[in-house]
Amino acid sequence: MSGAGGTPGGTPMNRIHRFACAASSLVALLALSACTGDGYGTAAIYSPLVEDEIRVIMPANAPSISQQFRVAGNRGGRSNPSSFHEGIDIIARVGTPVIAAAPGRVTDSFMEPMYGNRVVIDHGVDATGRRTRTVYMHLDSRRVQPGMQVARGQQIGTMGRTGILAAAISHLHFEVHRTRGRRIVAPQDPHLFWADGVGRVTCFDPERPVDDGVFRTTYPVPCRESASR
């Protein structure tokens, strides 16, 4: 298709913009592929596009984060697809358990082309009056069905690389969505909601109770029993 003025592929500026977007996506993909399934205790840096960067503290025994939440705010806008990554990506091997980040009810469990196997959990309305949902994508398998109640830390599937956007790399794409009343708002940075506090990634521990009065999450992938293992 010709762009403005009959130039194939659009104007020079449009072509430069598309090239920049493609280059940004390639860099992100290379960074993702550089992480192995054996990585623990590290978290990728935030994109320069992110205005509200959170200091992330990773437990040494937690599977690594290869991409952070990225919504450009005033530095890119919806016209730049590389400005958006509405969750975090956690790296581990295919078949690694994926667990519920908080107690709730499964609303969706299905396969679709772009994100592969997906599970969505509704965590209800907390003391702030807001409803929260968590989303788990690129799963290799799903072990829950809509309507099921799940406990914090319960296995809901296994990590995989299903869906076109997984780029054949095993990882979990994890999102947190918050609402006001019936209105869905944009996904929010998962690092805002850890049980240990903002930016403090919290491993699930069945022996440790979490106050669910206000929505709080634990890591959606099990941590190793010991950081030294």
Side-chain angles (χ1 to χ4, degrees):
M1 179 180 293
S2 296
T7 304
T11 65
M13 287 303 296
N14 285 340
R15 292 198 298 275
I16 292 171
H17 174 73
R18 284 198 296 273
F19 176 79
C21 291
S24 298
S25 299
L26 179 59
V27 169
L29 179 59
L30 290 173
L32 181 63
S33 62
C35 299
T36 70
D38 295 321
Y40 285 84
T42 63
I45 63 172
Y46 276 81
S47 163
L49 294 170
V50 176
E51 296 173 346
D52 299 319
E53 180 177 335
I54 294 173
R55 180 172 178 260
V56 178
I57 300 173
M58 286 285 292
N61 57 335
S64 294
I65 296 173
S66 62
Q67 280 203 78
Q68 299 288 6
F69 182 82
R70 184 172 67 253
V71 175
N74 296 326
R75 299 184 188 174
R78 284 285 181 185
S79 62
N80 184 354
S82 68
S83 300
F84 287 82
H85 183 252
E86 297 177 333
I88 60 174
D89 287 347
I90 301 170
I91 293 291
R93 296 182 182 277
V94 171
T96 298
V98 173
I99 58 179
R105 180 179 63 86
V106 177
T107 60
D108 297 281
S109 177
F110 61 90
M111 173 74 170
E112 54 98 1
M114 299 304 290
Y115 289 97
N117 281 308
R118 175 193 306 223
V119 169
V120 180
I121 301 175
D122 188 315
H123 304 285
V125 177
D126 68 7
T128 68
R130 302 182 69 180
R131 180 177 296 276
T132 309
R133 292 174 182 165
T134 51
V135 185
Y136 311 75
M137 300 177 180
H138 303 308
L139 303 178
D140 187 61
S141 66
R142 293 172 282 114
R143 299 195 176 186
V144 292
Q145 297 298 325
M148 291 179 59
Q149 294 288 331
V150 294
R152 182 188 302 277
Q154 179 176 334
Q155 185 171 355
I156 61 172
T158 56
M159 190 176 295
R161 50 190 175 214
T162 58
I164 295 170
L165 294 180
I169 297 167
S170 177
H171 70 285
L172 171 68
H173 178 82
F174 174 67
E175 296 185 359
V176 176
H177 298 226
R178 294 275 272 175
T179 66
R180 291 186 188 277
R182 296 183 178 181
R183 183 173 68 87
I184 301 291
V185 298
Q188 297 191 16
D189 192 329
H191 290 304
L192 293 169
F193 303 103
W194 301 120
D196 283 341
V198 174
R200 295 180 174 271
V201 173
T202 308
C203 293
F204 171 69
D205 180 352
E207 302 300 321
R208 177 188 172 186
V210 176
D211 182 1
D212 291 314
V214 175
F215 177 73
R216 291 289 182 265
T217 59
T218 47
Y219 214 44
V221 180
C223 299
R224 293 189 295 187
E225 291 183 7
S226 169
S228 62
R229 285 181 59 187

